[in-house]
Amino acid sequence: MTAPQFIEWLAAMKAAGLIRFDNDAAKALGVTNDTIVNMKHKGTDTRTALACRALLTSLPPYTGI
């Protein structure tokens, strides 16, 4: 996920009412606020991009089959 795509994801999460602030995204992703700032500048890896998709679609954490 590129930096612009991550910023777009943050905006989509806010528009959907799933987060209000960037620190809410940090909590949801299990990262620090500094990591969010870093992702806004450098983008993310595939694992984080997948987590972002899951959060935006309100997919619950995997708990087994």
Side-chain angles (χ1 to χ4, degrees):
M1 173 183 265
T2 65
Q5 289 169 328
F6 184 73
I7 293 167
E8 182 179 319
W9 173 79
L10 286 169
M13 289 287 286
K14 290 172 185 173
L18 297 171
I19 63 171
R20 289 185 63 201
F21 306 105
D22 288 357
N23 67 327
D24 297 326
K27 289 176 190 171
L29 288 169
V31 300
T32 66
N33 292 333
D34 288 341
T35 300
I36 295 294
V37 172
N38 188 38
M39 290 176 183
K40 288 168 75 172
H41 288 91
K42 296 183 180 180
T44 73
D45 59 10
T46 301
R47 175 179 45 194
T48 302
L50 289 167
C52 289
R53 164 85 61 176
L55 289 168
L56 184 58
T57 60
S58 298
L59 187 67
Y62 180 78
T63 59
I65 297 175

